[in-house]
Amino acid sequence: MAAIQPRITVEYRNEATIIAFTDERILEDTDVRALREAVEAVVEQAPRIHLVLDFRHVRFLSSAVLGLLIRISKRVYEQEGELRLCNIHPGIYEVFKITRLTNVFGIYEDVESAAQSFSARQ
Amino acid sequence: MAAEMPVRCSVIVESRPSALGPSCREILAALEAKGFTPDDIFAVHLALEEAFLNAVKHGNRMDPTKKVVIDYTVDQEKIEICMTDEGPGFDPRRIPDPRVGENLYRPEGRGLLLIRAYMHNVEYSERGNSLRMVRCKSQPVPKG
């Protein structure tokens, strides 16, 4: 497991890449930009990535993070990859529900179920 | 007795996204001291952050010479926050619904929706540069 500037950790499990956000609060533009750069660096190196974003540590986020997820999602799909989210705290899940992003992202209870949800690669 | 006295404060904050921190912590501490629930505190925190970012980015357009004024009152029943920027104002009715159609895939435009979802009363001044928002204290969930 590699730690990148304590913002994310990256773990590889079978064919899935698991990125966990390590900050408890993700608020400021600088945090969001740093996260975007860190995640996109991983995505750029892996066309057709099966990416799981793990929110287990996150207890608070702003709408800027939702924008970040939309951007990451676009980049992943441009590269013919797939994206899943997991371990979202109930308070934050409510934010996804209010904004109807539950219709946009595949959200799973934990890393295992998220990783198992990917379609088999040809 | 002192705990029952309303907390009233007015602060002037610089137009930097990170400048809200100290005032935000004071407001959230006042909520905790008045017995607001964690859900209330989460809601007010989120609304504060979103409102401040809107004021700084869209209102003051990150102009360092402009300020954001935050007036707040916390009592035993509710918190009322008034946030005013020095921008030209806007018409909130013209903000598109981020939950509809292509807007759902736009990376921005969800702040006002979240403020309205988490605060019980939200209104803008006629000019549109001053936001007043209120959240009433929730009843704590009984344990067991």
Side-chain angles (χ1 to χ4, degrees):
Chain A
M1 192 187 300
I4 299 173
Q5 291 294 322
R7 303 284 187 192
I8 63 170
T9 59
V10 185
E11 183 185 352
Y12 300 95
R13 197 177 296 187
N14 298 325
E15 290 199 343
T17 303
I18 323 293
I19 294 182
F21 297 124
T22 55
D23 291 335
E24 191 172 311
R25 295 175 177 201
I26 314 173
L27 273 176
E28 294 178 14
D29 282 2
T30 47
D31 296 335
V32 173
R33 263 200 302 276
L35 280 178
R36 184 180 173 185
E37 285 169 13
V39 174
E40 285 189 348
V42 176
V43 172
E44 299 301 330
Q45 291 171 12
R48 304 184 72 199
I49 191 171
H50 282 177
L51 178 61
V52 177
L53 295 179
D54 182 354
F55 283 76
R56 73 178 61 226
H57 302 292
V58 182
R59 292 291 179 271
F60 191 86
L61 48 74
S62 67
S63 66
V65 178
L66 304 178
L68 164 78
L69 295 176
I70 295 279
R71 290 190 166 100
I72 291 172
S73 165
K74 283 181 179 168
R75 194 70 198 110
V76 166
Y77 287 102
E78 278 167 11
Q79 302 236 89
E80 298 180 21
E82 294 180 44
L83 174 66
R84 306 284 188 265
L85 314 182
C86 72
N87 283 323
I88 296 181
H89 190 264
I92 293 177
Y93 187 76
E94 190 66 23
V95 174
F96 280 82
K97 275 203 317 197
I98 290 166
T99 54
R100 293 194 192 152
L101 289 176
T102 44
N103 298 340
V104 172
F105 296 110
I107 299 178
Y108 291 79
E109 195 172 328
D110 49 34
V111 168
E112 288 70 29
S113 55
Q116 284 169 9
S117 71
F118 291 114
S119 47
R121 285 203 175 106
Q122 300 297 309
Chain B
M1 197 69 176
E4 291 174 12
M5 295 286 286
V7 174
R8 284 200 179 88
C9 198
S10 181
V11 287
I12 299 172
V13 187
E14 288 177 44
S15 289
R16 284 185 292 111
S18 61
L20 180 65
S23 303
C24 185
R25 283 192 288 276
E26 279 183 20
I27 292 170
L28 300 184
L31 291 176
E32 201 168 354
K34 295 282 186 199
F36 282 70
T37 67
D39 283 351
D40 290 328
I41 294 172
F42 180 95
V44 172
H45 190 182
L46 189 61
L48 259 177
E49 294 284 352
E50 299 296 340
F52 185 73
L53 274 180
N54 283 347
V56 167
K57 282 186 174 176
H58 305 300
N60 290 348
R61 297 186 187 279
M62 307 289 278
D63 181 341
T65 67
K66 292 181 176 173
K67 309 290 184 200
V68 178
V69 179
I70 304 173
D71 300 296
Y72 64 90
T73 305
V74 189
D75 61 29
Q76 293 297 330
E77 293 166 0
K78 65 182 184 309
I79 176 167
E80 178 175 339
I81 301 167
C82 191
M83 193 177 294
T84 306
D85 61 58
E86 295 185 62
F90 77 112
D91 182 352
R93 292 169 301 185
R94 300 187 69 166
I95 300 297
D97 187 338
R99 300 167 298 180
V100 175
E102 288 300 305
N103 296 340
L104 197 52
Y105 300 93
R106 287 183 56 209
E108 293 177 336
R110 295 180 176 84
L112 188 52
L113 170 70
L114 290 173
I115 293 168
R116 285 188 167 132
Y118 281 99
M119 299 300 276
H120 294 130
N121 189 354
V122 177
E123 54 195 39
Y124 276 87
S125 62
E126 194 172 340
R127 179 172 142 189
N129 70 323
S130 185
L131 165 67
R132 178 182 167 274
M133 51 189 182
V134 176
R135 181 168 172 110
C136 301
K137 186 196 277 184
S138 307
Q139 294 302 313
V141 180
K143 287 182 181 167

